[in-house]
Amino acid sequence: MERKDFLRTLGAGAALVITFPCLGGCSTDDGNDGNIVTTPTNVDFTIDLTSAEAVKLTNNGGFILKNLVVVVRNLEGDFIAASQICSHKQFDQVRFDSRDGGTFHCNVHAPAGSRFSQDGTPLVTPNNSTPRALKIYNTELNGDILRVFE
Ligand code: FES
């Protein structure tokens, strides 16, 4: 059977699946899903620390995600903010890990993902890839209003 005859027997839907296997989004080699996006720029927003969205910032070590930024109250009680977009391959999976004094991490790629200090310095990089810093944003507290900006 020739190739075109084979494809004709499968039908147009199957041919589309064979031709465009990633139309619905691809996952990584190790099976983790996530969105690949660009690191946010011109960041400038506020969070009312008395609002419901800020409940997780009440305790040291807590964090929230807003506008692709990880906003953290670190173990010392200071507010810090970093891009949610990992500098390794731009997956939006950066989170705060309060263990070991508090670091930013992304677990998308094996074996250990990426890990960054609170100032964005790369601490662990997957598979010896080129270390790149994590984008860090400024924070400013005025009463109960936390501003996150570049
Ligand atoms: S994108 Fe974060 S570890 Fe690869």
Side-chain angles (χ1 to χ4, degrees):
M1 178 183 290
E2 292 202 18
R3 183 169 181 237
K4 67 180 180 182
D5 295 330
F6 172 72
L7 291 174
R8 192 175 299 131
T9 62
L10 291 177
L16 186 65
V17 169
I18 292 169
T19 309
F20 302 105
C22 274
L23 280 177
C26 295
S27 56
T28 59
D29 293 343
D30 55 1
N32 287 315
D33 291 322
N35 296 313
I36 299 174
V37 284
T38 305
T39 299
T41 57
N42 301 318
V43 167
D44 195 348
F45 62 85
T46 58
I47 299 168
D48 182 345
L49 296 177
T50 65
S51 68
E53 75 169 335
V55 166
K56 290 183 178 175
L57 296 175
T58 304
N59 298 318
N60 292 357
F63 73 90
I64 64 170
L65 306 177
K66 182 170 182 173
N67 301 341
L68 294 176
V69 174
V70 187
V71 181
V72 178
R73 182 176 210 147
N74 70 10
L75 299 179
E76 291 74 36
D78 298 323
F79 291 101
I80 58 175
S83 171
Q84 194 180 317
I85 313 308
C86 183
S87 62
H88 176 231
K89 290 195 175 179
Q90 286 66 55
F91 278 78
D92 61 351
Q93 297 299 306
V94 172
R95 304 292 186 266
F96 186 72
D97 183 348
S98 59
R99 294 173 294 177
D100 300 326
T103 57
F104 291 102
H105 71 97
C106 170
N107 287 334
V108 171
H109 293 102
S114 292
R115 192 165 289 276
F116 307 89
S117 68
Q118 293 182 26
D119 67 1
T121 302
L123 302 173
V124 175
T125 303
N127 299 323
N128 298 319
S129 56
T130 304
R132 287 188 287 268
L134 182 67
K135 174 75 175 174
I136 300 295
Y137 301 101
N138 299 307
T139 60
E140 181 180 80
L141 186 60
N142 293 309
D144 289 327
I145 304 299
L146 177 66
R147 180 181 176 213
V148 178
F149 62 104
E150 289 188 74

